Each structure stands twice: as structure tokens, then as C-alpha cells.
Amino acid sequence: MSPSGPELLRQIKSQIAEVDPAEVHELIDEGVAVVDVREAEEFAAGHIPGAKHVPRSYLESRIEAAVPDRSTQVILYCASGNRSAYAARTLQEDLGYEHVRSMNGGITLWKDRGYDVRVPRALSAEQRERYSRHLLIPEIGVDGQQKLLDAKVLLLGAGGLGSPIALYLAAAGVGTLGIVDDDEVDLSNLQRQVIHNSERIGVPKVDSAEESIRALNPDVKVVKYKTRLDSSNILEIIDGWDVIVDGVDNFPTRYLLNDATVRLKIPVVSASILGFDGQLSVFKPYEGPCYRCLFREPPPAELAPSCGANGVLGVLPGTMGLLQATEVIKLIAGIGEPAIGRLLLYDALGATLTEVKVHRDPECPICSREPSEISDEELGVFPDYEAFCAAAG
Ligand SMILES: [Zn+2]
């Protein structure tokens, strides 16, 4: 005969370890994983600071992402200590976690004892629905979504790479997107620049991009710069952004951007594409190499692919742009391993992704020095673009 509900709960509680809120309060800063197993609305109404959120109904499928190491000390809690008792038994018996305890009395007792509760800024009902698939991933959740909504990301170029990046970051709820582009939409762009369309030929790309972003997600504020980055405007334009996404495929701007972002300590997610090949890296000043650590000097002008029109497979900027957008989200949410100190090489024809480790150059002309030592005059020191391309003949 199956036991009754209360009897079953007694049995379960006899098989697991329980812990008092006072002890949890002591342990909280010592590397234990505190996991809230309640539903999303309950978690959003207030939780133990630093708690991870894995609803009990998703325990089996999501606990590994929240607590990858099964030897970690795990403390589960719910409202009153019952759901967490069931969850503790599942972790212990079925999933092989070695040190699991359930907090008795749940967050109700925790609050009664006067301990801190963190109430995240609430998402609106519409935002909870719009971003529901983010809220279901423990690595993002309400906190991560708030970080995205608060983030300011500057896109250099609303072209091949910039189009998918802007669309997906807007969809993901990145709250402020800046776009720097001085160009107008051209028919030959539409093979890959999917943020624009046939009706907007001749329209400035920043305006066309803004229209598409608005239509997709009204949460996003668009800041437009219909200009080309140069040494006279770069510091003013890039100051204050959290992450910069480099979709510009010309060397002079890339060097200028590198030097200015090192000086302002802004991370850059960089990619370039040509033909069937793409490459990507994340340049986080002083944590990993900068662009000049990798490429001290630009290639000779006649070899630079940035002058004039080059062929590219239409889907390639989509692939590389979305790898960039992924790195941006990781940097903002503080999750995963961003591609810092790594150069990823994608070969579309071979369907291969190769990784090359790259290191800081202690002799780097830029990032071997403190930001305050890098003068305005040194930023992007390099012949100007027209002269550079003219030299290519
Ligand atoms: Zn460097």
C-alpha cells in the first residue's frame, strides 16, 4: 500500500539531511550552492541573496547547469521545507549529488529570523512572457535578463555582421543598442544584410536598422551615429558603452578602435569574414591580448581585403555575427568562457571551427602600458584609409 502524503513526507525527511537557516546564513559566503526550488513567481517575489534558481519541476534537467560539480555542498530550500526535502532526495538518490541538505522551515523561517531577502527588480508581465525562454535557463534567469535590459552595446556597422547581431541582441532584450554607420542601403547589401529590406534601398542604414529593431522589440532604445569612426570622434562615441561589437572590415578603423578601447578598458567582440572564412575573438583589455598583440602591423595594403568589394557567402556573416552576439550576451551576463585569448577560425566549406590560443605581447605598443599613458596622438596611428587603399593601386 502506498503511504499517505504526510507519511511519505516523513519517510523522505528521514532519508535526507536537513539544515537550519542559521547555519545556512553562516555558510552562504563559503562556497556552498544555495538552490531555490520554488516556482518562478515565488523566486521573483524574493529569495536568499546569491541563490540559484532551479524549479523543482525542472530539477533533473537543469541542476547540472546550476551546480555542475556533484561533490559541491548543496543546500536546497523552498517556502516551508517540504518541496526542498523531495528535491534533496532526488539529487541524492537519483542524480548522485554527494552533499545535499534541505533547509528546514524554508524561506518563511529564514525571513522570520530576520535574514536578508533579495527582491529582484520585477519584469513586467509582458517582459516575463517575451523573455520566458531566458528565464527558464538558470544561467540567465531574471537577474541575467535584467543585466541584458540594463546593458549598452555599441555596434560598429549595420552591415553583414551588424544585421544579425542587432536583430538578435534586440530580440534578447539588450536595452540600449548604439549603431555607427554612415552608409545607405544598397540592393547588393540584401544578399546578407537581413535587417534591411527591398523597400529601404537608399535609406540610411542606421534608420533602416532602427525601424527593424523597433518592430521586433520596443524595449530596446536605439542610439544612432550616422558617421564613420575616425580619430576625431572615436573617444566621444565609444565612451560609456559596456561592450563594443566590431563589424567593420577595415584595418585602419580596427587599429584605431583597438587603441581607443584599450585606453577606455571596453571589451570588443571582433569578427571578420571573407569568402567562406570567418574569424572571431574577444578582446578584453588587460585580461587578454589586444588586437595589436596579435597583429602588430596591418598587412601590406595590396593584401588587405578591406578595400573595395569582396565576395562573401551570404549566410557567413549570419554565422559569425551570431557567434559575436553570443559572446556579447556571455560578457553581459557574466557566464561561460568568453573567447578571450582565443582566435576562432570558421571554415564554412569544410564545416570546421578551429581554435588558436593567442597571448598578450609584453612588448605590445599599446596594452603593455597603462591606459593613462596612451595619448590621443597615438590612437590608431596608421595612414588614413583612403591613402591606405590608394597605395594598393
Ligand atoms: Zn596588446
Side-chain angles (χ1 to χ4, degrees):
M1 209 178 94
S2 317
S4 66
E7 177 53 31
L8 181 61
L9 184 60
R10 267 194 297 280
Q11 284 180 17
I12 298 286
K13 286 197 173 181
S14 71
Q15 294 164 17
I16 58 143
E18 290 190 292
V19 56
D20 189 82
E23 194 183 336
V24 178
H25 188 251
E26 295 295 312
L27 286 170
I28 211 156
D29 294 324
E30 294 180 19
V32 298
V34 178
V35 178
D36 187 320
V37 300
R38 297 173 301 157
E39 301 302 316
E41 304 75 48
E42 297 176 277
F43 184 79
H47 53 262
I48 296 180
K52 298 168 191 286
H53 182 223
V54 183
R56 194 193 150 210
S57 42
Y58 294 100
L59 195 65
E60 291 85 348
S61 55
R62 297 197 189 141
I63 188 65
E64 223 174 332
V67 187
D69 181 354
R70 284 174 161 71
S71 65
T72 308
Q73 272 208 53
V74 184
I75 292 168
L76 305 177
Y77 75 91
C78 59
S80 64
N82 293 344
R83 280 176 285 172
S84 59
Y86 285 106
R89 199 191 52 166
T90 305
L91 283 198
Q92 181 179 299
E93 302 297 323
D94 302 339
L95 296 169
Y97 281 80
E98 295 163 24
H99 307 287
V100 187
R101 286 183 289 175
S102 165
M103 187 173 85
N104 65 37
I107 196 162
T108 311
L109 184 56
W110 173 272
K111 281 189 209 165
D112 286 350
R113 298 270 177 84
Y115 299 134
D116 269 0
V117 170
R118 183 164 183 279
V119 183
R121 252 181 315 139
L123 297 173
S124 69
E126 190 187 325
Q127 287 174 325
R128 279 216 304 278
E129 188 165 347
R130 178 182 287 273
Y131 307 118
S132 61
R133 298 308 187 274
H134 269 167
L135 305 186
L136 292 170
I137 317 175
E139 290 87 341
I140 304 279
V142 175
D143 285 356
Q145 190 62 53
Q146 290 288 10
K147 287 181 188 166
L148 291 172
L149 287 164
D150 289 341
K152 297 179 70 180
V153 177
L154 182 67
L155 310 179
L156 305 186
L161 293 163
S163 287
I165 297 167
L167 285 172
Y168 272 87
L169 290 183
V174 169
T176 308
L177 286 176
I179 304 173
V180 184
D181 199 306
D182 70 340
D183 211 1
E184 278 93 36
V185 179
D186 183 86
L187 181 57
S188 69
N189 299 150
L190 299 180
Q191 164 249 23
R192 63 202 176 283
Q193 299 184 16
V194 296
I195 203 166
H196 311 300
N197 65 45
S198 305
E199 282 161 21
R200 298 197 204 131
I201 289 167
V203 172
K205 288 185 179 177
V206 287
D207 295 336
S208 168
E210 180 186 35
E211 205 174 320
S212 299
I213 290 168
R214 286 260 159 80
L216 178 58
N217 187 351
D219 277 350
V220 181
K221 182 181 163 209
V222 178
V223 180
K224 299 183 285 185
Y225 302 90
K226 188 177 184 309
T227 186
R228 178 183 282 223
L229 274 190
D230 61 33
S231 53
S232 73
N233 63 18
I234 188 162
L235 287 173
E236 192 185 335
I237 291 177
I238 69 171
D239 194 19
W241 296 91
D242 300 320
V243 182
I244 295 178
V245 190
D246 177 13
V248 176
D249 210 359
N250 74 73
F251 287 96
T253 309
R254 195 157 270 178
Y255 281 85
L256 179 64
L257 175 71
N258 177 71
D259 303 349
T261 50
V262 169
R263 179 152 127 196
L264 297 180
K265 292 189 170 180
I266 303 172
V268 178
V269 179
S270 177
S272 62
I273 49 172
L274 186 66
F276 295 95
D277 297 315
Q279 49 177 268
L280 172 144
S281 195
V282 175
F283 297 102
K284 192 163 187 196
Y286 301 101
E287 283 189 28
C290 78
Y291 191 74
R292 281 196 199 253
C293 291
L294 271 64
F295 307 104
R296 180 77 74 96
E297 298 291 334
E302 61 273 19
L303 297 180
S306 53
C307 306
N310 294 289
V312 65
L313 187 68
V315 297
L316 185 67
T319 306
M320 298 310 296
L322 291 188
L323 287 174
Q324 283 179 283
T326 308
E327 294 304 303
V328 170
I329 289 175
K330 285 159 60 183
L331 288 173
I332 294 169
I335 57 173
E337 299 292 335
I340 298 167
R342 295 184 283 150
L343 189 62
L344 305 184
L345 308 170
Y346 174 64
D347 168 7
L349 282 182
T352 56
L353 192 59
T354 313
E355 175 178 312
V356 180
K357 290 256 189 285
V358 285
H359 302 283
R360 279 185 77 182
D361 175 358
E363 306 282 300
C364 174
I366 295 295
C367 78
S368 66
R369 298 179 300 155
E370 289 299 309
S372 57
E373 295 170 3
I374 304 167
S375 68
D376 281 9
E377 292 68 40
E378 286 175 90
L379 299 181
V381 166
F382 190 71
D384 73 273
Y385 186 56
E386 281 72 23
F388 176 74
C389 286

